[in-house]
Amino acid sequence: FVLAFPCTLINFAYAQNGFLSAFLLGTGILMLKKSPILAGVMLGLFTYKPQFALLIAVALISARLWKVFLTACITVLILIIISCILYGPLVWQAFYNNLPLAQLVMNSGNGMWEKMQSVFASARLIGITLPYAYALQAAFAIAAVIVVAWAWYKRVFPMAYIILTAAMFLATPYALVYDLTITGLTIAWYAWHCLLWG
């Protein structure tokens, strides 16, 4: 089924990190009850995709999964410390200094909008001006946060997993085609939901 999934072929074509994203996120969510520490580590590692990490924090806090949330935060802190040891603290200064350049590239398109799976990119592709595209993206992001918070607060599993993985692509302006491997989790959990409830 994984090989038949179109996003698998896209990820192979781009030779990108979509499988790693799906593995970390999927494992983290599946381990929430069985092993909260392992779940926290996996979800902490998934923050290498910071544009998706916000909704994970919203989900964990809303579900009151404090052990998982705290472990994820500690994992992120350890990753930051390791990066500073290996590359020096200036690596974070360089990251911060390059943010305006990344913003400029995203705003101008530069051949990226066709490869991006976001409300912002779709708005820009159909000619919506930059301020309105960001406003539209912000509206969808706020809606995604509210829906994820509600689903995880109510602990309507596995539907909450489906909502989280789908909402990730509504909440960020920056998601590329190879990130769509995450939607494989959405499909798998929806199938699980259908099997559970008929």
Side-chain angles (χ1 to χ4, degrees), residues 132-147:
Y132 287 110
Y134 273 120
L136 193 60
Q137 177 65 65
F140 273 84
I142 291 167
V145 167
I146 292 169
V147 171

Side-chain angles (χ1 to χ4, degrees), residues 2-19 114-117 169 175-184:
V2 171
L3 290 176
F5 184 43
C7 297
T8 296
L9 300 176
I10 293 170
N11 194 57
F12 276 132
Y14 280 89
Q16 268 292 348
N17 53 29
F19 296 133
E114 297 84 2
K115 300 172 188 150
M116 292 174 67
Q117 311 302 307
F169 292 90
L176 290 168
V177 288
Y178 51 80
D179 292 317
L180 285 172
T181 50
I182 292 170
T183 62

Side-chain angles (χ1 to χ4, degrees), residues 8-61:
T8 296
L9 300 176
I10 293 170
N11 194 57
F12 276 132
Y14 280 89
Q16 268 292 348
N17 53 29
F19 296 133
L20 177 62
S21 298
F23 170 74
L24 292 173
L25 180 59
T27 304
I29 291 176
L30 286 175
M31 291 289 125
L32 287 174
K33 290 181 181 177
K34 291 182 181 178
S35 179
I37 301 296
L38 178 59
V41 170
M42 290 296 174
L43 295 175
L45 292 173
F46 181 66
T47 59
Y48 87 99
K49 289 281 188 180
Q51 69 269 32
F52 295 128
L54 172 65
L55 277 188
I56 291 175
V58 169
L60 295 178
I61 291 168

Side-chain angles (χ1 to χ4, degrees), residues 45-129:
L45 292 173
F46 181 66
T47 59
Y48 87 99
K49 289 281 188 180
Q51 69 269 32
F52 295 128
L54 172 65
L55 277 188
I56 291 175
V58 169
L60 295 178
I61 291 168
S62 298
R64 297 151 328 269
L65 297 169
W66 303 116
K67 187 182 285 188
V68 181
F69 179 72
L70 182 61
T71 305
C73 291
I74 291 169
T75 302
V76 172
L77 184 61
I78 290 170
L79 287 175
I80 291 170
I81 291 169
I82 290 172
S83 70
C84 288
I85 291 169
L86 292 177
Y87 304 109
L90 290 178
V91 72
W92 288 97
Q93 183 66 43
F95 172 76
Y96 178 77
N97 291 341
N98 279 303
L99 287 177
L101 178 61
Q103 186 77 34
L104 181 65
V105 170
M106 194 171 84
N107 289 350
S108 65
N110 201 22
M112 288 181 60
W113 293 334
E114 297 84 2
K115 300 172 188 150
M116 292 174 67
Q117 311 302 307
S118 71
V119 173
F120 170 80
S122 299
R124 294 297 285 145
L125 278 171
I126 62 172
I128 295 176
T129 60

